[in-house]
Amino acid sequence: MAYETILVETRGKVGIITLNRPQALNALNTTVMAEVVAALQGYEANDAVGAIVITGSEKAFAAGADIKEMQSKTYAEVFAGDLFAEWDGLLRIRKPVIAAVAGYALGGGCELAMMCDFIIAGENAKFGQPEITLGVMPGMGGSQRLTRFVGKSKAMDMCLTGRMMDAAEAERSGLVSRVVPVADLLSEAIGAAEKIANLSMPAVMMNKEAVNRAYETTLAEGLRFERRLFHSMFALDDQKEGMSAFVEKRKANFTNR
Ligand SMILES: CC(C)(O)CC(=O)SCCNC(=O)CCNC(=O)[C@H](O)C(C)(C)COP(=O)(O)OP(=O)(O)OC[C@H]1O[C@@H](n2cnc3c(N)ncnc32)[C@H](O)[C@@H]1OP(=O)(O)O
């Protein structure tokens, strides 16, 4: 499939989606949204791919939703068209998705990164929800996800002042899982994705589902869900293989069954 605003390549078992609108700092317009979701769905359906990386350029992961595209829209249009609902397609991807963020991840860019399963940041990354400076507020999940990641105080600070958080603060605050030199960002993210892609895919998906459930339910329900998923893993060949490989001091050969 030919894409206009993203580059898509597969390295081994890793799918890589690169946002590619350099002239607009990868601002997320309708085409980007449709293409990223379509590329993710393609990887989801491709048994040869076990994990996906979404990245941008050294200057910008994405500087937000496309302000020029949104500027003249009416309330009736954004409401009837359910503006940004298409991004929910990302949340239905069951394979792990890693955001590799260098440069600006602002507004929708920060929100897109937070929709991924985890974020690896380059040392120059800058995260922010500056929508308040445009007279609006986050609309792709920022007020909810950022608050869960960094807590109320920092989320309020960022949403109300529009200030940016650098990579070191983002790591301290729990927004990103690791910070690496910009030159190593993509290889670090691909390395993490490769590691995951070589594990048992059903076990990977169940781990992802269980961690995500922690954001949607009570502790008691989440613990019950985890226990039941854990029990169900004993129906997998991969559980037998993983544990046998440990006992026999050899590398596991998972078959995703
Ligand atoms: C999804 C929601 C609902 O949550 C809403 C949003 O995401 S709203 C958008 C939030 N993001 C922002 O407000 C950031 C806007 N951009 C900037 O503040 C600056 O561009 C910058 C600080 C990221 C970088 O500044 P600088 O290096 O000086 O580059 P610029 O000359 O400003 O930008 C280069 C080029 O890109 C265009 N651009 C940048 N961001 C966007 C955007 N979000 N939408 C559309 N276009 C964007 C900018 O206009 C420049 O293009 P030209 O005008 O020169 O053609």
Side-chain angles (χ1 to χ4, degrees):
M1 178 166 171
Y3 294 105
E4 247 179 73
T5 62
I6 59 173
L7 303 172
V8 173
E9 65 170 307
T10 306
R11 288 196 210 166
K13 294 184 182 178
V14 178
I16 305 162
I17 298 172
T18 305
L19 304 173
N20 188 35
R21 286 189 77 208
Q23 71 288 2
L25 301 184
N26 292 333
L28 305 168
N29 65 10
T30 310
T31 309
V32 179
M33 176 165 62
E35 292 190 343
V36 169
V37 172
L40 285 167
Q41 287 166 345
Y43 282 136
E44 180 81 346
N46 181 348
D47 287 343
V49 168
I52 303 151
V53 172
I54 302 182
T55 193
S57 70
E58 200 168 312
K59 175 151 187 192
F61 175 72
D66 192 319
I67 299 166
K68 293 167 189 168
E69 190 185 59
M70 281 188 294
Q71 181 189 11
S72 57
K73 286 191 187 294
T74 64
Y75 168 72
E77 283 169 344
V78 299
F79 179 75
D82 204 1
L83 183 63
F84 300 134
E86 214 174 315
W87 282 117
D88 296 347
L90 195 155
L91 307 176
R92 289 189 285 277
I93 301 300
R94 299 175 72 202
K95 292 177 181 173
V97 183
I98 300 172
V101 174
Y104 296 111
L106 303 178
C110 185
E111 292 167 301
L112 172 59
M114 289 191 291
M115 278 184 231
C116 296
D117 295 312
F118 61 96
I119 303 173
I120 301 181
E123 282 169 345
N124 71 343
K126 287 195 173 63
F127 298 87
Q129 297 292 160
E131 291 88 345
I132 189 73
T133 66
L134 301 170
V136 289
M137 63 179 286
M140 281 168 52
S143 65
Q144 304 304 300
R145 290 200 180 89
L146 186 66
T147 307
R148 282 166 166 78
F149 279 113
V150 305
K152 178 181 170 184
S153 188
K154 272 191 193 287
M156 278 289 188
D157 180 0
M158 290 175 72
C159 289
L160 295 184
T161 68
R163 88 166 169 90
M164 295 183 208
M165 188 184 258
D166 66 18
E169 184 180 1
E171 188 181 29
R172 266 199 320 275
S173 311
L175 178 57
V176 310
S177 68
R178 8 178 158 162
V179 178
V180 298
V182 176
D184 301 337
L185 177 64
L186 193 57
S187 58
E188 183 86 8
I190 292 172
E194 226 163 41
K195 182 164 189 181
I196 295 166
N198 282 305
L199 298 170
S200 161
M201 192 46 53
V204 163
M205 285 176 167
M206 287 191 224
N207 272 274
K208 169 169 170 163
E209 215 169 309
V211 174
N212 280 334
R213 187 61 69 97
Y215 284 94
E216 291 160 7
T217 193
T218 61
L219 178 60
E221 273 307 316
L223 290 171
R224 211 174 351 257
F225 181 71
E226 180 197 80
R227 183 68 48 78
R228 293 293 168 248
L229 273 186
F230 172 71
H231 290 161
S232 76
M233 288 172 153
F234 286 74
L236 292 171
D237 292 349
D238 283 346
Q239 173 268 330
K240 301 286 174 291
E241 169 61 11
M243 293 192 181
S244 301
F246 175 81
V247 172
E248 293 160 17
K249 301 188 187 304
R250 60 176 174 81
K251 191 172 179 301
N253 178 26
F254 293 118
T255 54
N256 299 332
R257 283 197 287 267

